[in-house]
Amino acid sequence: MSAPVPTAPLVLGIESSCDETGVGIVRGTELLANAVSSSMDEHVRFGGVIPEIASRAHLDAFVPTLRSALDTAGVTLEEVDALAVTSGPGLSGALMVGVAAAKALALATGKPLYAINHLVAHVGVGVLDGGDLPESLGALLVSGGHTEILKVDALASDVTLLGATIDDAAGEAYDKVARLLGLGYPGGPVIDRIAKEGNPKAIRFPRGLTMPKFTGTAENPGKHRYDFSFSGLKTAVARCVEQYRARGEEVPVADIAASFQEAVVDVVTSKAVLACREHGMSTLLLGGGVAANSRLRELLAARCASAGIALRVPRPGLCTDNGAMVAALAAQVVMAGGAPSGIGFAADSGQPVTAITL
């Protein structure tokens, strides 16, 4: 006879897919702790995340972050009902640190372990900030490594990828453009800030994959109807900067930043709303680190309102990578009767969204 499924399982989640070491603890849909240690400062001088540095930082930060989460939640490992860890997608070396730590804890405590999809966890975190997720849910995930549109029919068991970037992620494009403009790393926050001083209509930068030959029609959708491409936009910015410098003119950094940002958010929001309309999704959840971008939130809210789509945006601390989102999704899997992953799984840097757990 199997053990009864807890109605509000106490779950500890571990996140290490990139440069944040996160340990979160939830009880059902209640957030108890969300401890995060970032190694971003160690990557600044390189202008981007260095995988080896990130992996070593996870090794150093894991135990202190675990202790902090347990202390904040006021629980012990013995009280936890289940453990969860991001198994992918992400940086291979970074993922392996978190997975190895989670397996060690599972062996030491005898607790069931769930291997969780990082991208779907960005959706699952919504239950901690706004309550249960509705049916007919779409998700727009925008971060340094991912830009996707998802259709969520059942959070714990049925998620479909509708569209994704075919080259750079939006956050990656922000970092590269910030480097071109001499603004440093990370690029997202500084471009968002400087763009407020510029004219978003000063330069008409290209909107990738928006022509009919790529998008098709509602009746005959094109291959890239909901996909994104930001490499051409990045190149256009580079050429623009080069032209100003070749003429010996001062580069209008604020105008370029504002025009670049408008090109990104225009495409991202229009395609997300289009996907919701065509797939009957009445609610859209925005997640990922770039969800903190003020212009993205503003334009998406306006376009969702015009289309009659409800918009859910978790608070900023839950949009960036964290352990709470891993624990939140795992709790949903536990409550849905999902089987534990055991310790035989491996980290999967390319784990698809259809593999919610391994």
Side-chain angles (χ1 to χ4, degrees):
M1 183 177 179
S2 60
V5 176
T7 54
L10 185 64
V11 181
L12 184 148
I14 298 166
E15 156 64 25
S16 71
S17 66
C18 192
D19 60 338
E20 280 97 6
T21 307
V23 178
I25 300 174
V26 305
R27 181 178 280 113
T29 59
E30 179 189 3
L31 176 62
L32 302 182
N34 187 26
V36 178
S37 174
S38 175
S39 62
M40 181 176 291
D41 290 347
E42 299 179 46
H43 305 282
V44 168
R45 62 193 174 105
F46 300 103
V49 175
I50 305 302
E52 177 65 17
I53 292 176
S55 299
R56 291 180 180 276
H58 288 309
L59 285 169
D60 293 337
F62 177 71
V63 172
T65 308
L66 172 64
R67 287 174 174 161
S68 175
L70 290 169
D71 290 345
T72 300
V75 301
T76 64
L77 280 173
E78 289 71 25
E79 295 175 284
V80 170
D81 293 313
L83 302 169
V85 64
T86 296
S87 51
L91 301 175
S92 295
L95 288 168
M96 286 190 282
V97 174
V99 167
K103 289 180 178 181
L105 286 179
L107 284 170
T109 62
K111 304 293 182 179
L113 175 60
Y114 292 79
I116 295 297
N117 188 295
H118 175 83
L119 298 177
V120 184
H122 272 301
V123 183
V125 78
V127 303
L128 304 179
D129 200 14
D132 291 342
L133 296 176
E135 297 180 356
S136 302
L137 177 68
L140 172 61
L141 306 182
V142 191
S143 70
H146 305 281
T147 308
E148 282 100 355
I149 301 173
L150 310 181
K151 184 174 186 287
V152 184
D153 289 311
L155 181 60
S157 60
D158 190 359
V159 176
T160 304
L161 178 67
L162 296 182
T165 179
I166 65 172
D167 42 58
D168 294 347
E172 185 180 1
Y174 268 86
D175 289 338
K176 290 178 177 178
V177 167
R179 191 178 308 132
L180 287 169
L181 297 175
L183 299 177
Y185 174 85
V190 67
I191 286 182
D192 190 23
R193 176 171 52 82
I194 291 177
K196 292 180 172 66
E197 304 168 8
N199 177 7
K201 296 181 180 179
I203 305 162
R204 175 69 185 186
F205 286 128
R207 272 66 168 161
L209 299 184
T210 57
M211 299 296 288
K213 65 178 180 178
F214 297 115
T215 61
T217 63
E219 294 75 22
N220 297 291
K223 180 180 179 181
H224 297 298
R225 188 163 181 79
Y226 309 124
D227 289 336
F228 308 100
S229 173
F230 300 109
S231 63
L233 171 59
K234 174 200 64 182
T235 300
V237 173
R239 287 176 178 166
C240 179
V241 172
E242 288 170 2
Q243 288 168 1
Y244 276 101
R245 288 175 177 163
R247 295 194 297 262
E249 299 176 10
E250 182 179 352
V251 177
V253 173
D255 283 349
I256 292 176
S259 299
F260 158 76
Q261 177 162 274
E262 197 66 17
V264 173
V265 301
D266 182 20
V267 173
V268 167
T269 57
S270 63
K271 290 208 172 197
V273 170
L274 178 66
C276 286
R277 281 174 163 166
E278 295 185 346
H279 288 268
M281 300 182 294
S282 57
T283 301
L284 179 67
L285 183 142
L286 173 64
V290 183
N293 181 275
S294 63
R295 181 56 182 152
L296 173 60
R297 294 162 75 104
E298 176 187 45
L299 186 57
L300 186 60
R303 286 181 166 172
C304 282
S306 295
I309 298 167
L311 178 62
R312 292 267 299 263
V313 187
R315 59 185 182 271
L318 294 178
C319 286
T320 53
D321 294 348
N322 62 82
M325 69 184 198
V326 179
L329 177 55
Q332 295 296 311
V333 173
V334 171
M335 290 187 286
S341 304
I343 59 171
F345 69 91
D348 182 0
S349 61
Q351 186 172 337
V353 295
T354 50
I356 299 167
T357 61
L358 296 181

